[in-house]
Amino acid sequence: MTRLLINRGTFVTMDDQKAEFQGWMAIEGDRIAGIGSGPAPEEEVARATETLDGTGLLFMPGLVNTHGHAAMSLLRGLADDLALQDWLQNHMWPTEAKFTSDDVYWGSALAAAEMIKSGTTTFVDMYDHMNRVGEVVDQSGMRASLARGVIGLCPEDVQKAKLNDAIQFAKDWHGAANGRISVMISPHAPYTCPPDFIRKFVEASHELDLPMHTHMSETIAEVEQNVRDYGCRPVEHLDRLGMFSRPTLVAHAVHLNDEEIALLAERRVAVSHNPISNLKLASGVARVPDLLKAGVTVSLGTDSAASNNNLDLFQEISTAALLHKGVSGDPTVVPASEALRLGTVNGARSIGLEGVTGQLKPGLKADFIALNLSKPHFVPHTDYVSHLAYSARGSDVVHVWVDGKQLLRNGQLLTLDEDKIMAEAERCFRRLRA
Amino acid sequence: MTRLLINRGTFVTMDDQKAEFQGWMAIEGDRIAGIGSGPAPEEEVARATETLDGTGLLFMPGLVNTHGHAAMSLLRGLADDLALQDWLQNHMWPTEAKFTSDDVYWGSALAAAEMIKSGTTTFVDMYDHMNRVGEVVDQSGMRASLARGVIGLCPEDVQKAKLNDAIQFAKDWHGAANGRISVMISPHAPYTCPPDFIRKFVEASHELDLPMHTHMSETIAEVEQNVRDYGCRPVEHLDRLGMFSRPTLVAHAVHLNDEEIALLAERRVAVSHNPISNLKLASGVARVPDLLKAGVTVSLGTDSAASNNNLDLFQEISTAALLHKGVSGDPTVVPASEALRLGTVNGARSIGLEGVTGQLKPGLKADFIALNLSKPHFVPHTDYVSHLAYSARGSDVVHVWVDGKQLLRNGQLLTLDEDKIMAEAERCFRRLRA
């Protein structure tokens, strides 16, 4: 088995209190075999079948993007500066209604190319034609948690077909791509799925023993509608429907009261915070410092490129670190190290992959990235944790590995054909707009 | 005289309603000689002494960063996640007190390297040892508006020496570097300069016929102190002291009431909005949509790398476009085109350089940048104005010109020695921390 030894690197492991150190890391097959500070021990040097000089590079866990719709990268910049419902109903949904399975493939490939190049190794995706997204994950070498997201505003037979599609997708793809793909069960949102329909997803989640993922409390209007139609706010509503008896990841969770935060903490519901999408659509600012204080696992998502408009998770990390200080008036909330946790280990935890990815630690999968430190914006060397949270950009990433396999080398994609993907994505967009 | 013809490029001029077009641009000496859509006219092709194929590149005006303290790049990441006064008094000021003229030179050179590489061609700087900043501007080829920023919390003789230093700097450097350097007169802030001292700066500004620059209303505490000590809020205070009888650029202006916004508009005071620094220090969120509605010229500043922590103005542009939507609840405020104006033409206007830089237009100085469009995050080609505001990063910039002279080619600095600057900046920081 191959054994890669990286020596003389700078490491930020997200594993312990020792924020950064100079040292070495050994990768055997798809796993991290060892890591330590100082020069690599002689026995590590002897066992290595391959060596990488880590001088000038910072190694950290690959980033985990916990909410998105990859295929919507085809709609980047199509309709900006609009309110969520106008944007969804008059721009996104009509164009998406024309999406073919081919569009989903190329849109997702475009997203995968962008994510790998900016340091994301694991992503959550909720969309349609999910087998095509699965193909992209398989081919790209990324890790992903995928969900057939179902909108239930349709006749019962269509609902049933969609539910069956989601269940079939789970059966076909959970554990696929050498285990890099896991599946979640995903009613789109409480405002787009009737209660009885959501119950069926909860049942499927129990039967298949898979976690759940949904949009929740993204806008005030949606919370008000929930109260009007169902007599309670979304957290209580979903709890009553049994969703939180399953491991659940909710996206957005912008509009929460204290009781809802306490209930999310009690039920161990994870929250995917999507700060840029929430700002762009004027949905509001999630109560992240309060969620963290209550012990809720908060991670970061880009949402789709149509409401972001890129998939650079480093931008989500810095935005999370900055936004909550300014809005709360407390400059100590979401410090640099916490912001990095949101984008790495918390991301893994929120999709059941803690102990698998999100940290550099012996026994974990070798999902890691390397940033080039020889850049003016990383000088001086005061504190690389600070630099990663506040100064880094996805474009600083030069190498990416998932499952011990290198996906990006010196900024070049190794598993995907970037030029072809960009051309095909452009072609798909032209056809959709014709 | 050399005449450069760029053809087959994509252009965003910031000059008119035609947001983007495919076309050509001619540069003669230090100025834009012509620009147009479609193929370059035959006479342009004939007159060119040099040609650049603009295929796959987007050309736009160089960005204008209207508030910063370049030398403080030496303190990047030194003290994060602290309140402004704690950060200033216990971390920044004690370290800065040790700054030598050499530190200012290398810290400013580090900032210049970072700014050029991320597309900024003109910057405002307020600091000490300004002749060394002037040297950096001269050597780097950038354009700058420089101010000796004076804190007046000191004995009268020291005050006098500082004022004389500011005046001498203005006399020595205004118009220097082939006119690329202009000078502003700059009392640091109403809370750090007694009223009589500010009056002397206003007098100097009149005598030298130079504009003024100051920090104003960055924090609530500062506004309260102003009311307590001088019986009015900072805008009225500075107006009473005569500052607004001069062209003035104020940085921050976070805490303003309606009357203050109206007075700033009436006095044609320009505001440098520093969204990232204001968030990081938890100072608050400036009322940018209200300022724009009142007709105030709002531009963008990074502030120093110590409170940002990078100098990538594209991040300021996207943050300005995003933040005010989320905080106001109105997704239509600060649309993409407006955000780009803040970072270009408004920046030029706010320092008296409208008609000189900030747009692509015949007769203006040839200060422009080129971004590489062959990147996944610029696909599909829906709307490049949107992509520039929401998806671009400084690292997309590949070429930079100021005064018709190329400063960056394929991401490589042509006027500055990047490796030497990074090493010297690191050395300065080590000495300051010793």
Side-chain angles (χ1 to χ4, degrees):
Chain A
M1 195 179 285
T2 61
R3 192 167 173 116
L4 167 68
L5 175 65
I6 297 167
N7 51 28
R8 290 182 289 277
T10 298
F11 291 85
V12 171
T13 66
M14 305 311 298
D15 176 35
D16 53 24
Q17 298 311 308
K18 201 173 171 197
E20 62 168 270
F21 59 84
Q22 300 292 313
W24 60 275
M25 181 165 70
I27 311 299
E28 189 164 293
D30 62 352
R31 295 193 185 265
I32 297 169
I35 186 166
S37 57
E42 270 180 40
E43 64 271 24
E44 285 296 341
V45 176
R47 292 172 73 185
T49 60
E50 202 183 329
T51 303
L52 175 70
D53 182 359
T55 306
L57 296 173
L58 184 146
F59 297 85
M60 65 176 289
L63 305 180
V64 183
N65 182 346
T66 60
H67 184 67
H69 315 283
M72 291 177 76
S73 288
L74 289 188
L75 308 181
R76 187 197 319 269
L78 175 63
D80 298 309
D81 310 322
L82 301 170
L84 176 66
Q85 290 308 322
D86 177 12
W87 176 79
L88 273 178
Q89 290 166 13
N90 302 322
H91 298 271
M92 294 298 113
W93 290 347
T95 316
E96 287 178 282
K98 298 192 238 166
F99 267 40
T100 64
S101 134
D102 195 46
D103 295 324
V104 170
Y105 178 81
W106 290 112
S108 300
L110 180 67
E114 189 188 348
M115 286 193 279
I116 295 171
K117 292 187 83 172
S118 54
T120 292
T121 52
T122 299
F123 70 104
V124 170
D125 203 59
M126 183 209 282
Y127 212 64
D128 195 1
H129 301 291
M130 290 305 295
N131 56 322
R132 304 310 304 277
V133 184
E135 280 176 46
V136 169
V137 175
D138 190 22
Q139 291 161 10
S140 68
M142 295 184 79
R143 193 178 304 285
S145 181
L146 306 180
R148 183 359 179 157
V150 175
I151 293 179
L153 305 171
C154 49
E156 209 172 322
D157 58 325
V158 183
Q159 280 188 354
K160 198 170 175 181
K162 286 179 169 183
L163 175 63
N164 287 341
D165 185 37
I167 290 170
Q168 194 59 50
F169 173 72
K171 288 178 176 170
D172 292 345
W173 286 89
H174 184 68
N178 286 323
R180 296 197 316 276
I181 293 177
S182 52
V183 172
M184 297 195 285
I185 300 299
S186 186
H188 175 269
Y191 74 96
T192 55
C193 292
D196 282 348
F197 195 42
I198 291 178
R199 272 201 199 91
K200 287 177 184 148
F201 282 84
V202 174
E203 280 166 27
S205 163
H206 274 288
E207 278 163 25
L208 296 161
D209 194 20
L210 293 176
M212 300 199 71
H213 182 38
T214 195
H215 297 96
M216 190 194 75
S217 303
E218 184 175 1
T219 64
I220 289 176
E222 183 192 324
V223 174
E224 288 171 348
Q225 187 199 331
N226 210 96
V227 171
R228 201 166 54 241
D229 293 356
Y230 307 123
C232 62
R233 294 167 64 93
V235 173
E236 191 183 340
H237 179 63
L238 293 178
D239 191 46
R240 282 186 197 171
L241 295 173
M243 186 181 279
F244 300 155
S245 66
R246 301 293 312 153
T248 300
L249 170 66
V250 296
H252 304 301
V254 176
H255 300 281
L256 300 175
N257 63 27
D258 292 347
E259 292 69 34
E260 288 176 295
I261 290 176
L263 191 58
L264 290 174
E266 197 185 318
R267 297 287 191 266
R268 307 179 80 79
V269 174
V271 168
S272 177
H273 175 43
N274 295 198
I276 293 180
S277 178
N278 295 158
L279 289 174
K280 183 156 188 278
L281 295 169
S283 304
V285 177
R287 294 175 58 187
V288 167
D290 295 327
L291 285 163
L292 291 169
K293 197 184 283 178
V296 174
T297 296
V298 178
S299 58
L300 294 173
T302 53
D303 211 349
S304 87
S307 63
N308 188 302
N309 291 349
N310 65 40
L311 305 180
D312 181 351
L313 207 76
F314 277 105
Q315 207 171 323
E316 247 64 33
I317 290 171
S318 66
T319 302
L322 293 165
L323 178 63
H324 301 289
K325 294 176 173 65
V327 168
S328 71
D330 180 354
T332 67
V333 301
V334 196
S337 57
E338 180 87 61
L340 280 189
R341 275 195 293 277
L342 302 190
T344 54
V345 61
N346 282 20
R349 186 181 303 147
S350 69
I351 52 173
L353 293 181
E354 191 175 11
V356 175
T357 190
Q359 295 168 297
L360 302 184
K361 201 171 163 178
L364 264 68
K365 294 284 190 173
D367 296 357
F368 63 103
I369 63 179
L371 287 79
N372 177 4
L373 292 174
S374 301
K375 305 227 176 160
H377 63 276
F378 288 142
V379 176
H381 178 188
T382 39
D383 175 356
Y384 283 138
V385 169
S386 162
H387 290 353
L388 289 172
Y390 291 115
S391 191
R393 300 177 287 235
S395 49
D396 297 319
V397 174
V398 288
H399 307 308
V400 171
W401 288 260
V402 174
D403 251 9
K405 181 180 170 186
Q406 192 161 7
L407 310 187
L408 189 80
R409 182 183 295 142
N410 295 320
Q412 299 298 310
L413 292 168
L414 301 179
T415 53
L416 298 175
D417 184 340
E418 186 175 353
D419 288 338
K420 183 175 168 65
I421 288 169
M422 293 195 290
E424 292 289 346
E426 193 72 45
R427 180 187 58 78
C428 290
F429 172 71
R430 298 287 143 210
R431 207 205 65 252
L432 287 166
R433 293 291 286 166
Chain B
M1 196 180 283
T2 61
R3 191 165 173 117
L4 168 67
L5 175 65
I6 298 167
N7 50 28
R8 291 182 288 278
T10 298
F11 290 86
V12 171
T13 65
M14 305 310 297
D15 176 35
D16 53 23
Q17 298 310 308
K18 202 175 170 195
E20 63 169 90
F21 58 84
Q22 301 292 313
W24 60 275
M25 182 166 70
I27 311 300
E28 188 165 292
D30 62 351
R31 294 193 186 265
I32 298 170
I35 185 164
S37 57
E42 270 180 40
E43 64 270 24
E44 285 296 341
V45 176
R47 291 172 73 184
T49 60
E50 201 183 330
T51 303
L52 175 70
D53 182 0
T55 305
L57 296 174
L58 183 146
F59 297 86
M60 65 177 289
L63 305 180
V64 183
N65 182 346
T66 59
H67 184 67
H69 314 283
M72 290 177 77
S73 288
L74 289 187
L75 308 181
R76 186 196 322 269
L78 174 63
D80 298 309
D81 310 323
L82 301 170
L84 176 66
Q85 291 309 323
D86 178 10
W87 176 78
L88 273 179
Q89 290 167 14
N90 302 322
H91 299 271
M92 294 299 112
W93 289 347
T95 316
E96 288 178 282
K98 298 192 238 165
F99 266 40
T100 63
S101 134
D102 194 47
D103 295 324
V104 171
Y105 178 81
W106 290 112
S108 300
L110 180 67
E114 190 188 348
M115 286 193 279
I116 294 170
K117 292 188 83 171
S118 54
T120 291
T121 52
T122 299
F123 71 103
V124 170
D125 204 59
M126 182 208 282
Y127 212 65
D128 194 2
H129 301 291
M130 290 305 295
N131 56 322
R132 304 308 305 275
V133 185
E135 280 177 46
V136 169
V137 175
D138 189 21
Q139 291 161 9
S140 67
M142 295 184 79
R143 192 178 304 284
S145 181
L146 306 180
R148 182 2 177 153
V150 176
I151 293 179
L153 305 172
C154 49
E156 208 172 325
D157 58 324
V158 183
Q159 279 188 354
K160 198 168 175 181
K162 285 179 170 184
L163 174 62
N164 286 341
D165 185 37
I167 291 171
Q168 193 59 49
F169 173 72
K171 289 178 176 170
D172 292 346
W173 286 88
H174 184 67
N178 286 323
R180 296 197 317 276
I181 293 177
S182 52
V183 172
M184 296 196 284
I185 300 299
S186 186
H188 174 270
Y191 75 95
T192 54
C193 291
D196 282 348
F197 195 43
I198 292 178
R199 272 201 200 90
K200 288 177 184 147
F201 283 85
V202 175
E203 281 167 27
S205 162
H206 273 288
E207 279 163 24
L208 297 161
D209 195 19
L210 293 176
M212 302 199 69
H213 183 36
T214 194
H215 297 95
M216 189 193 76
S217 305
E218 183 175 2
T219 65
I220 290 177
E222 184 194 324
V223 174
E224 288 171 347
Q225 188 199 329
N226 210 95
V227 171
R228 201 167 52 242
D229 293 355
Y230 308 122
C232 62
R233 294 168 63 94
V235 174
E236 191 182 340
H237 179 62
L238 292 178
D239 191 47
R240 283 187 197 169
L241 294 173
M243 187 181 280
F244 300 155
S245 66
R246 302 294 312 153
T248 300
L249 170 66
V250 296
H252 304 302
V254 175
H255 300 281
L256 300 175
N257 63 28
D258 292 347
E259 292 69 34
E260 288 177 295
I261 291 176
L263 190 59
L264 291 175
E266 198 185 318
R267 297 286 192 267
R268 307 178 80 80
V269 174
V271 167
S272 176
H273 174 43
N274 294 198
I276 293 181
S277 177
N278 296 157
L279 289 174
K280 183 157 188 277
L281 296 169
S283 303
V285 177
R287 295 175 58 187
V288 167
D290 295 327
L291 284 163
L292 291 169
K293 196 182 285 178
V296 174
T297 296
V298 178
S299 58
L300 294 173
T302 54
D303 211 348
S304 86
S307 64
N308 188 301
N309 290 350
N310 66 40
L311 304 180
D312 181 351
L313 207 77
F314 277 104
Q315 206 170 323
E316 246 64 32
I317 290 170
S318 66
T319 301
L322 293 165
L323 177 62
H324 301 291
K325 294 176 172 65
V327 168
S328 71
D330 180 354
T332 68
V333 301
V334 196
S337 56
E338 180 87 62
L340 280 189
R341 275 195 294 276
L342 303 190
T344 54
V345 61
N346 282 19
R349 185 181 304 147
S350 69
I351 52 173
L353 294 181
E354 192 176 12
V356 175
T357 189
Q359 295 167 297
L360 302 184
K361 201 172 164 177
L364 265 68
K365 293 284 191 174
D367 296 358
F368 63 103
I369 63 179
L371 287 80
N372 177 3
L373 292 173
S374 300
K375 305 229 176 159
H377 63 277
F378 289 142
V379 175
H381 177 187
T382 40
D383 176 354
Y384 283 139
V385 169
S386 162
H387 291 353
L388 289 173
Y390 291 116
S391 191
R393 299 178 288 234
S395 49
D396 298 319
V397 173
V398 287
H399 306 308
V400 172
W401 289 261
V402 174
D403 252 11
K405 181 180 171 186
Q406 191 160 5
L407 310 188
L408 188 80
R409 182 183 294 144
N410 295 319
Q412 300 298 311
L413 292 168
L414 300 179
T415 52
L416 298 175
D417 182 338
E418 186 176 352
D419 288 338
K420 183 175 168 66
I421 288 169
M422 291 196 291
E424 293 288 346
E426 193 71 46
R427 179 186 59 77
C428 290
F429 173 69
R430 298 286 145 212
R431 206 204 67 249
L432 286 166
R433 293 293 285 167

